[in-house]
Amino acid sequence: MLWKFCPLFSCRPLERSSEDVDIIFTRLKEVKAFEKFHPNLLQQICLCGYYENLEKGITLFRQGDIGTNWYAVLTGSLDVKVSDTSNHQDAVTICTLGIGTAFGESILDNTPRHATIVTREYSELLRIEQKDFKALWEKYRQHMSGLLTPPYGVMETGSNNDKPHIPHRPTKTITQVPSEKILRAGKILRNTILSRAPHMIRDRKYHLKTYRQCCVGTELVDWMMQQSPCVHSRTQAVGMWQVLLEEGVLNHVDQEHHFQDKYLFYRFLDDEREDAPLPTEEEKKECDEELQDTMLLLSQIGPDAHMRMILRKPPGQRTVDDLEFIYEELLHIKALSHLSTTVSIFKNIIHHQKGVFNQGEEGTSWYIILKGSVNVVIYGKGVVCTLHEGDDFGKLALVNDAPRAASIVLREDNCHFLRVDKEDFNRILRDVEANTVRLKEHDQDVLVLEKIPAGNRVSNQGNSQPQHKYIVMSGTPEKILEHFLETMRLEATLNEATDSVLNDFIMMHCVFMPNSQLCPALMAQYPFPSQGTEQEKMDYALNNKRRVIRLVLQWAALYGDLLQEDEAAMAFLEEFYVSVSDDTRMIAALKEQLPELEKVVKQVSEEPKAPQKKHKVLLQLFNTSDDRAQKRQPIRGSDEVLFKVYCIDQTYTTIRVPVSSSVKEVISAVADKLGSGEGLIIVKMSSGGEKVVLKPHDVSVFTTLSVNGRLFACPRDQFDSLAPLPEQEGPSTGTVGTFELMSSKDLAHQMTIYDWELFNCVHELELIYHTFGRHNFKKTTANLDLFLRRFNEIQFWVVTEICLCSQLSKRVQLLKKYIKIAAHCKEYKNLNSFFAIIMGLSNVAVSRLSLTWERMIANTVRTVKFCRSQSFNPDAALTNKNHQDVRSYVRQLNVIDNQRTLSQMSHRLEPRRA
């Protein structure tokens, strides 16, 4: 908001009338920077201050300049930048000055500026010249001292040895000004209640006192659950109403900040006025149309509001339901993922806080970021890193019992943290660390092991005694590898648990130790030792080399054919085989493992290499009409695909590139066909018109498209003109005529066969690439993408066929048929199609798939590997005369994947009842 009285400030102080000064004084009292100023001091500022307005990117002054003015921020914001060198290009931003902050006190003693100030956006400032500011300081020193401390990490009036000071911001529990979205949501809910259930908002009496135009908490929850299928529980509804309460759009009559599902009175913001108008007929119609979107919005942000509400309560006032809700939410916080066994401790000690601490202060708490982000500022270095939602800070001072090593500065308003007091943190630390072993090198943890139960052992006395073992929790990749080699058992039958943990390492190593790092590390573990007697060296070499060989064999068995695409792995295997062969002349015991190693190397090396290898060309990734006599083969990154890329005029060019191509390579291929590629971007377009510009390093984009998605290429300035193709809308008529002639059991059987073919092509490593980002590995996840796409295809197939069926009686039969198909899929243990059909029938999108990261994802990977290892043998007895038609049908489903279009079709079939 621009200052309306800026012309009054623009005129010279001697030209200001008493009326001008009164207007400026009234307005300045509303500014945060001056709210604690003495009235006499503020009056003088009105007499001598100047108004300044600056565009974005203007440097107000530079570090090292001699100051001439003091400033206060009226609107906008400015960046504070500090450089350790004389070069201003090296300056780093340590914080941002917002509305109400003041700076520039170095003019009191003529010391150079300690920072550079640059406008972050259009900003309005109050400026006081040096002579006037000094005069004010001399006259009102007792009022100004303590009020003019700069809010960033350098004291301008102090020496270079002064520590940075970052003020503590006061806690706000309720938003001071409601957002436009929530204001609108409140109005829609109020008007809808007045339209559909006007008796809910009325004057109510309690203990002889009348409360105007109120609602009851339990009635509001009941009403909300009846309005939308997206509201599944009373707890969810409470969170949705809490959103309105936090923003002040709904208020408790006694100003309580917690919405409760009880006989308590609440009043909408519009009803605070005595003459609150009733909605017009046009407003009622608008609210009916917007109600479901409003409910969806509140259902998405309600859980966060509910959690903030619980965390504002003192720990002793939290109910069992509150604790369970916190527990479920904590499982998704990154900083707590490794403390899953001790989350119950947190449930009673977490507090809600918005705040920061300063470098050098005593550590009293551990913090976890729930919302927002912070800068970590070290004196003399500026911002060293930024922490975001899910990150934690403050542990170091508590663990080492030392002062804070850095300052924490809020990067935005309204940040939220979980805070754990020092005493409770130490209790958590004691309970967890008592079972933890840490290995340090150069004062750094290089390996962390944690003790876990490992079954029971029968003692000599016949008693059953619990056993424990230590598993790797974290460490450097090289030390983890060394640990596994040292603990590997070489008996013929490996310990199952130990083998499982080792397999986890082999499967997951690509995340933290790629082959280019693993292969040299394995070779480094293989040579002869240089110390000890000849016999000691021989014994050590034998055991160590056998362990390395064993690990290499397990690694090669897991990766299999994928090693052929990795030049570093191929070179390592050949070098390793030569080394082992040479060693067998001196260590005869190694000959036992040589044939198996030779077999692995031969299988890899005998594969024809490019360019002799003939790449498979995938004409259509999802067309299976030509593979009836062939077993489906997994898609490899080197396989080539013929793919249509559309232009803005909806013509297309066909390119032939490897499946794993990056967007940059796709742009190059398109440019070759079009004759020009300057400024081209690749856009992923859904049938609903959603457009996503793909990044140059994105890979394997062909298989990540939605069911009816397409790729477009266009100059960046034509992005807004892109529109979906007519063919993306999907079919206009259903296939019920063909579909109803097919047996439900045959359909389920053929769907299961096809799903199994897709699933059997998925390598478990694709799940790792998908989870951690395939662009980080430059690997394709095409087979996994197709399997995941199949789920969406079946889901939309169900909805499409039902919405394209205009006859009510046939729709009823269609529903029954889909239920039968789902039952048969479950009978065949095909849960992929089973749940896809169920999701299609309910038409509820999956909102979130929670994956547990790092070591935890190995459980899922092992499950995928186990399922792929099982055989699927189609029952020949189920094959009937028309099975080929059924087979073709289930593999080429035509669907509408635009949710808005499907919803519109559904409303045309059965209009909403009045």
Side-chain angles (χ1 to χ4, degrees), residues 507 558 756 759-760 762 764 858-871:
M507 281 191 295
L558 174 68
W756 173 255
F759 178 71
N760 197 42
V762 179
E764 51 267 30
N859 296 329
T860 307
V861 174
R862 278 201 304 272
T863 302
V864 172
K865 182 181 181 182
F866 170 77
C867 292
R868 288 183 64 244
S869 68
Q870 306 302 303
S871 60

Side-chain angles (χ1 to χ4, degrees), residues 468-511:
H468 296 85
K469 66 174 182 177
Y470 284 91
I471 63 170
V472 176
M473 294 300 294
S474 62
T476 63
E478 292 79 6
K479 189 58 65 174
I480 293 175
L481 174 63
E482 183 180 321
H483 168 76
F484 279 127
L485 288 172
E486 289 176 351
T487 57
M488 182 187 292
R489 298 178 61 184
L490 293 172
E491 293 84 350
T493 303
L494 290 175
N495 178 277
E496 184 176 344
T498 302
D499 198 37
S500 173
V501 174
L502 182 59
N503 274 328
D504 288 349
F505 170 80
I506 296 173
M507 281 191 295
M508 298 295 297
H509 80 81
C510 59
V511 177

Side-chain angles (χ1 to χ4, degrees), residues 35-66:
E35 60 187 7
K36 294 183 180 180
F37 278 39
H38 191 276
N40 292 341
L41 171 60
L42 195 57
Q43 189 82 11
Q44 293 299 313
I45 290 176
C46 295
L47 286 170
C48 65
Y50 289 85
Y51 169 84
E52 294 252 354
N53 62 327
L54 303 172
E55 296 296 331
K56 176 182 177 181
I58 300 298
T59 299
L60 196 61
F61 53 75
R62 293 189 182 276
Q63 183 178 346
D65 291 348
I66 301 298

Side-chain angles (χ1 to χ4, degrees), residues 50-52 54 60 71-74 78 123-127:
Y50 289 85
Y51 169 84
E52 294 252 354
L54 303 172
L60 196 61
Y71 299 88
V73 184
L74 302 177
L78 303 94
S123 303
E124 296 173 287
L125 309 175
L126 169 68
R127 175 175 61 85

Side-chain angles (χ1 to χ4, degrees), residues 646 650 685-689 706 708-712 723-731 895-898:
Y646 292 84
Q650 299 197 342
M685 172 84 74
S686 73
S687 60
S706 58
N708 288 339
R710 297 293 186 269
L711 282 186
F712 282 76
L725 302 170
E727 67 187 53
Q728 289 185 255
E729 296 179 2
V895 305
I896 299 172
D897 66 347
N898 187 332

Side-chain angles (χ1 to χ4, degrees), residues 2-10 20 23-28 31 51 74:
L2 298 179
W3 274 49
K4 297 179 180 178
F5 63 89
C6 61
L8 304 179
F9 250 154
S10 299
D20 293 340
I23 294 174
I24 297 173
F25 179 87
T26 301
R27 192 61 188 276
L28 281 185
V31 178
Y51 169 84
L74 302 177

Side-chain angles (χ1 to χ4, degrees), residues 229-471:
C230 70
V231 186
H232 305 294
S233 66
R234 301 187 73 84
T235 299
Q236 184 185 7
V238 167
M240 295 165 71
W241 286 117
Q242 179 65 27
V243 173
L244 302 182
L245 193 70
E246 280 192 345
E247 301 250 0
V249 177
L250 182 75
N251 298 298
H252 184 263
V253 292
D254 289 332
Q255 302 305 310
E256 291 286 339
H257 291 157
H258 306 151
F259 183 88
Q260 299 186 60
D261 186 8
K262 295 182 179 179
Y263 191 79
L264 299 176
F265 297 158
Y266 298 90
R267 184 183 295 122
F268 282 98
L269 181 62
D270 287 348
D271 290 322
E272 298 286 349
R273 297 162 27 197
E274 292 189 8
D275 58 343
L278 294 174
T280 64
E281 289 301 319
E282 185 177 352
E283 288 176 329
K284 290 180 181 179
K285 184 178 179 182
E286 289 179 355
C287 292
D288 279 343
E289 293 174 352
E290 296 182 40
L291 179 62
Q292 293 306 315
D293 289 339
T294 298
M295 300 291 279
L296 182 60
L297 168 67
L298 294 177
S299 68
Q300 291 171 343
I301 60 181
D304 289 340
H306 194 176
M307 187 168 184
R308 290 193 295 270
M309 175 189 76
I310 296 172
L311 295 177
R312 288 189 185 104
K313 298 180 184 179
Q317 295 181 13
R318 296 173 190 161
T319 65
V320 174
D321 289 339
D322 289 343
L323 299 182
E324 289 301 321
F325 186 88
I326 296 176
Y327 176 81
E328 293 295 330
E329 291 299 314
L330 288 184
L331 293 179
H332 306 299
I333 296 178
K334 180 173 64 176
L336 302 179
S337 60
H338 67 293
L339 296 176
S340 57
T341 58
T342 59
V343 169
S344 58
I345 297 176
F346 284 83
K347 295 195 290 189
N348 293 313
I349 64 177
I350 293 176
H351 309 282
H352 177 272
Q353 171 150 340
K354 309 169 194 174
V356 294
F357 53 69
N358 298 325
Q359 185 174 351
E361 292 180 351
E362 178 188 0
T364 59
S365 300
W366 173 43
Y367 297 84
I368 302 159
I369 303 176
L370 284 178
K371 177 184 177 183
S373 58
V374 299
N375 282 336
V376 180
V377 181
I378 296 179
Y379 182 63
K381 294 184 178 179
V383 177
V384 295
C385 70
T386 299
L387 304 177
H388 301 276
E389 181 177 321
D391 291 329
D392 67 302
F393 57 89
K395 286 190 298 189
L396 188 61
L398 303 184
V399 172
N400 297 332
D401 197 21
R404 298 292 191 191
S407 298
I408 301 295
V409 182
L410 300 179
R411 299 182 72 241
E412 51 198 281
D413 291 334
N414 204 26
C415 291
H416 295 266
F417 306 100
L418 296 182
R419 176 172 60 84
V420 181
D421 290 336
K422 185 175 183 178
E423 179 181 350
D424 296 313
F425 176 80
N426 288 335
R427 181 156 56 98
I428 296 170
L429 193 68
R430 181 179 63 250
D431 292 344
V432 176
E433 298 297 318
N435 294 319
T436 304
V437 174
R438 295 177 177 274
L439 179 63
K440 293 179 178 288
E441 291 182 358
H442 306 295
D443 295 325
Q444 298 292 325
D445 287 339
V446 293
L447 188 67
V448 179
L449 308 176
E450 186 170 293
K451 184 170 66 175
I452 64 169
N456 295 323
R457 178 184 61 185
V458 179
S459 65
N460 294 333
Q461 290 76 25
N463 300 324
S464 178
Q465 298 178 342
Q467 284 187 299
H468 296 85
K469 66 174 182 177
Y470 284 91
I471 63 170

